[in-house]
Amino acid sequence: MDNLCIPVYNRPDLLLRCIASIDIPVDRLLIIDNSIDKSCGWQAEDAAGNNPNIKDVWVTYPYVNMGVAASWNFSITQMRAGVTFISNADTEFGQGDLERLEMAMLLDGPRWIGMNQDWRVFAINQEAVERVGLFDTNFHPIYCEDCDYERRCTLGGVSWGFIHGTTQHVGSVSWKDSELAKRENTRTYVENLAYYIRKWGGRPRGGETFTTPFDSGGPLDRFPIDLDRLSRL
């Protein structure tokens, strides 16, 4: 595997477990440390050094929490690879799952592939990004960015789906384990959902009525960045 990218917000213990479970050779491991105290990155470097499958580790420390969509975009643009592999930090890989995901991406054509019906770990190729664009960073800091991409891929003819594996995903620890993030999530989730409905004319995964963003007739990668909204979120 050429690369594996893992954004992290908190719970370095789960990140270390994730890194320890990497069971195939990885040339470059990219850690995006979105944590408040920036303590996850250096722990990740130590953990990567203890896993003989990891050849090199890169850690970046954004000034503020980039959020999920922006972190995924950073991973894609920094790796500049034919296929980019991205994982949640609260994931523990099942034996052989990364290899199966890598094999699933060998087919031709634009595609992304996840695992076990969610985005706990996924791979996306360059052709998919060229077809429908990067992730919409107006979804911040988390939620609805994945539904938006599924919608765009479906409309744009990008193949997508999931393979089965034993990879475990704790899920939503970025806000469940922080009282501040928990309070903020009650606000930001509602705003992200409202933005999704404005963009697609209905709720995610079945309620959409628009076939272009904002019913504009424009391209699928159209999402003018709303800096005021991002600052508010």
Side-chain angles (χ1 to χ4, degrees):
M1 181 177 289
D2 290 337
N3 64 84
L4 176 62
C5 310
I6 308 177
V8 58
Y9 177 72
N10 56 9
R11 291 295 301 274
D13 59 313
L14 296 179
L15 171 64
L16 302 188
R17 190 173 73 181
C18 176
I19 292 172
S21 69
I22 295 172
D23 63 350
I24 65 171
V26 173
D27 289 340
R28 291 168 293 175
L29 174 65
L30 171 63
I31 305 295
I32 303 174
D33 187 351
N34 287 314
S35 66
I36 294 173
D37 60 5
K38 304 305 177 188
S39 65
C40 294
W42 61 266
Q43 295 185 63
E45 286 191 85
D46 289 343
N50 292 325
N51 186 330
N53 287 309
I54 300 170
K55 182 177 179 180
D56 194 16
V57 58
W58 301 350
V59 181
T60 186
Y61 298 90
Y63 180 68
V64 296
N65 177 14
M66 295 173 68
V68 170
S71 293
W72 289 351
N73 289 348
F74 183 85
S75 301
I76 293 167
T77 56
Q78 291 301 303
M79 290 296 99
R80 302 176 187 176
V83 178
T84 302
F85 295 84
I86 300 175
S87 173
N88 287 353
D90 57 348
T91 293
E92 184 174 7
F93 303 116
Q95 186 175 5
D97 280 357
L98 286 175
E99 184 177 11
R100 282 190 287 274
L101 182 61
E102 188 175 34
M103 294 297 294
M105 292 301 295
L106 293 179
L107 297 174
D108 292 334
R111 68 182 55 252
W112 69 259
I113 300 292
M115 186 171 293
N116 293 353
Q117 306 304 310
D118 71 16
W119 292 66
R120 65 189 66 191
V121 54
F122 69 95
I124 185 170
N125 65 14
Q126 178 180 337
E127 292 91 340
V129 176
E130 290 172 350
R131 180 77 63 87
V132 300
L134 292 165
F135 292 90
D136 186 345
T137 54
N138 290 304
F139 295 108
H140 186 84
I142 188 173
Y143 292 129
C144 296
E145 67 288 316
D146 50 357
C147 303
D148 174 78
Y149 211 77
E150 291 173 9
R151 176 68 175 167
R152 287 157 57 196
C153 286
T154 297
L155 293 170
V158 171
S159 176
W160 64 273
F162 304 93
I163 63 173
H164 178 72
T166 58
T167 292
Q168 301 297 310
H169 180 212
V170 177
S172 302
V173 297
S174 60
W175 62 267
K176 287 181 178 177
D177 282 12
S178 165
E179 288 303 319
L180 173 60
K182 189 180 297 185
R183 291 194 302 271
E184 287 299 293
N185 183 68
T186 61
R187 176 177 62 89
T188 59
Y189 175 77
V190 170
E191 292 216 24
N192 281 343
L193 180 59
Y195 172 73
Y196 187 97
I197 292 171
R198 289 199 305 274
K199 184 173 182 179
W200 293 112
R203 296 177 69 88
R205 294 172 174 156
E208 301 91 340
T209 58
F210 301 159
T211 57
T212 59
F214 310 103
D215 204 24
S216 65
L220 294 171
D221 62 352
R222 179 182 181 271
F223 44 89
I225 302 301
D226 187 339
L227 293 179
D228 289 338
R229 182 177 185 278
L230 291 176
S231 296
R232 185 172 68 254
L233 292 177

